[in-house]
Each structure stands twice: as structure tokens, then as C-alpha cells.
């Protein structure tokens, strides 16, 4: 049985444009970010028509940029958005608002969340959502709208290798694994 989930990073924000680290800051989408979300919605609607199955629900980080993206997607898909505490971006502490660090996988950040704690938080949220496995609803994979940092944790949780460091803004990606092998 195939097990899959669709991931969509939030649309473009001012922090993306400026090259600064938003982290736990609650930033909004730019107009381009909203347009990207509308394009993603059109892609998801077309995927649903082509495959004969639509997204049953959207699980979203509760941060503004993700919820705004999820809301645009939900409007086009006619489904509910469920905010999921735990899917927020990593809290970067003193580094937030500054240039994006070269080493995004550093374990510790001043007054921020360790990489281990961040991964554990996101993993716990995914476990809570899917009971350990993201089983599609009636053959329809759920959609998760979250952040660049969430992507590698989701890939690891699913046991799927990805060539993407993280997906571009508002670009839906389907993750599928052949078996329910442990992570």
C-alpha cells in the first residue's frame, strides 16, 4: 500500500525577499506570495481532476505565512484548514531578523531552539496527526502547509530521500513511500 502526503511550503514573504531569517516571527505573504499560492491552488485542483481524487484536508503551521497560504489553497479546493501546533518554523532566537546563516543545521543557536528540539517538535506533531503513518484518506493524501525547515523533518519522518534541500515557495510536492517501514 502506498503512503503519501503532499507538502507545500508557504508563499514568498518579505523575509524571503530580503534574505533574512524569519523563524518564529509572524510575517505575512507578499503579493507575489499570494499569487504563488493561487498558482499552487490551480496545480492542486488540476492534480485532483487528473487523478480523480482531491485533497481531503489541509494541515497547516499556525504561523501567519503558512495559514495565509493554506487559506488560499483551501478556498480553491473547498476543504478545511486545520492549524497544527508543532509545525511552526524553527525558533532561531538571536539570529531571527538577521541574514540567513550558512549553517542551517547547526545544533545550537543563541536563545533559540536546538536542531534536536525542533526535529522532535515537528516529529511529535506529525505523529499526533497521523498516528505514526500518513495514511491517505480514501486514497487521497492530506496536504501539509508549513516551512522550509519542516521539509527535511517530514522527509526523514516518512523515510523518503529528497534531492530538494527544501521546496520553492508555494510549490506542492508529493512524498510517497512504498512501505510503512519504520523511520
Amino acid at each position: 500500500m502506498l503512503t503519501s502526503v503532499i507538502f507545500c511550503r508557504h508563499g514568498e514573504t518579505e523575509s524571503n525577499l530580503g534574505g533574512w531569517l524569519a523563524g518564529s516571527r509572524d510575517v505575512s505573504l507578499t503579493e507575489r506570495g499570494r499569487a504563488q499560492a493561487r498558482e499552487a491552488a490551480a496545480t492542486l485542483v488540476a492534480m485532483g481532476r487528473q487523478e480523480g481524487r482531491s485533497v481531503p484536508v489541509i494541515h497547516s503551521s499556525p504561523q501567519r505565512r503558512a495559514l495565509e497560504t493554506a487559506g488560499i489553497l483551501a478556498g480553491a479546493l473547498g476543504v478545511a484548514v486545520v492549524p497544527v501546533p508543532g509545525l511552526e518554523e524553527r525558533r532561531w532566537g538571536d539570529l531571527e531578523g538577521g541574514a540567513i546563516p550558512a549553517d542551517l543545521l547547526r545544533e545550537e543557536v543563541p536563545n533559540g531552539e536546538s536542531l534536536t528540539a525542533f526535529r522532535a517538535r515537528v516529529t511529535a506533531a506529525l505523529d499526533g496527526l497521523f498516528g505514526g503513518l500518513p495514511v491517505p484518506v480514501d486514497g487521497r493524501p492530506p496536504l501539509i502547509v508549513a516551512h522550509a525547515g519542516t521539509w527535511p523533518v517530514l522527509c526523514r519522518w516518512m523515510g523518503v530521500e529528497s534531492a530538494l534541500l527544501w521546496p520553492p515557495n508555494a510549490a506542492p510536492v508529493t512524498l510517497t513511500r512504498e512501505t510503512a517501514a519504520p523511520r
Side-chain angles (χ1 to χ4, degrees):
M1 173 170 82
L2 290 178
T3 303
S4 62
V5 64
I6 301 171
F7 178 85
C8 188
R9 181 179 173 203
H10 60 76
E12 178 188 82
T13 65
E14 289 297 326
S15 64
N16 296 143
L17 276 179
W20 54 273
L21 196 59
S24 64
R25 292 184 179 194
D26 219 6
V27 297
S28 296
L29 299 180
T30 62
E31 284 306 315
R32 180 170 179 227
R34 290 180 190 94
Q36 289 171 333
R38 289 189 295 274
E39 290 171 22
T43 297
L44 289 165
V45 167
M47 283 172 54
R49 284 189 190 127
Q50 181 180 25
E51 297 172 9
R53 57 188 183 149
S54 61
V55 170
V57 64
I58 299 174
H59 301 289
S60 178
S61 158
Q63 287 180 281
R64 180 182 307 163
R65 57 196 181 266
L67 282 174
E68 193 173 354
T69 301
I72 292 168
L73 299 175
L77 295 168
V79 298
V81 174
V82 178
V84 180
L87 292 182
E88 299 91 346
E89 182 59 278
R90 184 176 177 186
R91 293 183 293 275
W92 285 92
D94 294 349
L95 300 179
E96 289 187 10
I100 296 173
D103 182 10
L104 289 171
L105 296 178
R106 69 175 67 179
E107 176 59 32
E108 299 295 331
V109 292
N111 297 309
E113 184 175 30
S114 73
L115 183 59
T116 299
F118 169 67
R119 287 176 174 165
R121 171 172 55 82
V122 174
T123 297
L126 293 169
D127 285 341
L129 268 177
F130 303 115
L133 295 175
V135 178
V137 177
D138 297 328
R140 300 178 301 158
L143 172 61
I144 295 175
V145 178
H147 310 276
T150 312
W151 169 253
V153 180
L154 175 62
C155 290
R156 183 177 182 180
W157 184 81
M158 293 265 311
V160 174
E161 298 280 332
S162 175
L164 295 173
L165 179 58
W166 59 70
N169 292 101
V173 178
T174 302
L175 284 177
T176 302
R177 65 175 165 198
E178 294 292 330
T179 64
R183 3 178 187 63

